[in-house]
Amino acid sequence: SAPAQSAIAPRPVRIGVSDGTERYVSQYDTQETDQMFEQLSILLSESLDSASSPQPVEEAAWRQALEAPGVWFDFLGTIPLDVLYAWMGDGGDNPALIHSARRVAVALDEGGGVCLYYHNEADGLYYACATAVAYEGHMDALVSGYGGNGYSFVFELEDNGGYEVLEPYVLLAPDSLRPLVYRASNPLSELDDAMVSAIQQAASFQPQSNSVYPVANGIRIREGRETLEIGYDGVAVYHAGDEDAGRYPVGNGKDLLPLVETTWRLAADTVGRWCGEARLYLMGIDREADGSLLVRYGYTLNGADVLLPDGACAAQFTVSGGQITDYTLYFRRYEQSGQTSPVLRERQAAAALEALQPQGRELILSYSDTGGDTVQAGWTAR
């Protein structure tokens, strides 16, 4: 089957839209969130396109933005804003987009203009960028008509409403949630020639059989000093083995777009192709002590992240000297089982978390995949 997600497009896992009096939130519902994103993403792309230099603002201004007429988007992972803009726009460039963010808001400011607001987790600060987005006759029309569906942020409750243990930006649902249960499997357990050659092709290895060797738990493909081992346990590992392998050039590391495009394509055409109902998301790009970059992708199921054993990622890439030198791919397939499983209300989940330190943890639904044949969602603190 054709790769389900070769189109490079980060999609938010939750969206909130406010007309200034009521708020409508979609989360843990990929279909609805995607539909809202189709209608509202124009505000995000226009604000990224026209954003002026970021100005640090007080946290109070960020909270105001979450309550003002506007839309906020939560991408679950931390995305460089210039990459987000390139992904959404026509490949333009805006030098003002110097930070990365997970949550971004496009909201009416006190002066009647529209600003792009975000929290930059790297320095812990909140920022606002003035934009050219028109509120009257454009944004107001897009944010009106959703009404409200009873969601509130913890910070909006009197004295945090007994949720002191939680981060102030946790969303509290009006009703208890019944997330789907999924069947889980390892697609590489039935590794056949067609699958091997599809993975070879996606990884841009030549499909020559004389470079493929059986090893204890799978097969090894070798070209020069480069190796790609594909294991029956669902894990595939690439080593360049050579400083100048040059198979996956990703530029100088200053411009993150080629880096993200190359790693996303590799992830989408390998683990993304066989993951069934799951969707990939960019978890983050981290600079390691030795100067290399680590690019991580995870799985989500219906807007909730999937926790793999031992903190593994769906795909993890090491980038050094302008190229990918190593990667690990964790193949899993998820299919709907037709069942749901209820979870505790947030208040009870928060009470259960009370024992966890430190305070200010985020409470989110996650699927814990321990390698069994089903996964169901539960609350996790992150």
Side-chain angles (χ1 to χ4, degrees), residues 343-362:
V343 293
L344 289 173
R345 295 298 299 268
E346 287 99 329
R347 182 178 293 282
Q348 292 147 309
L353 284 175
E354 202 74 66
L356 289 176
Q357 298 299 330
Q359 303 272 308
R361 301 293 289 273
E362 183 183 4

Side-chain angles (χ1 to χ4, degrees), residues 11-25:
R11 291 166 183 261
V13 297
R14 50 180 73 84
I15 292 183
V17 57
S18 170
D19 59 9
T21 53
E22 292 186 297
R23 174 189 294 126
Y24 188 92
V25 170

Side-chain angles (χ1 to χ4, degrees), residues 200-269:
Q200 266 181 291
Q201 199 177 347
S204 75
F205 274 73
Q206 296 301 317
Q208 294 162 337
S209 53
N210 63 357
S211 59
V212 180
Y213 311 92
V215 289
N217 183 34
I219 60 152
R220 177 182 296 146
I221 303 164
R222 179 181 286 281
E223 278 185 28
R225 294 177 59 185
E226 297 172 274
T227 57
L228 177 64
E229 278 198 20
I230 306 171
Y232 301 129
D233 60 355
V235 180
V237 179
Y238 165 82
H239 292 296
D242 183 347
E243 291 296 287
D244 311 306
R247 183 178 301 273
Y248 308 111
V250 291
N252 57 16
K254 303 225 179 352
D255 177 9
L256 293 176
L257 185 60
L259 170 78
V260 176
E261 284 186 330
T262 303
T263 54
W264 176 276
R265 171 76 61 233
L266 268 166
D269 290 351

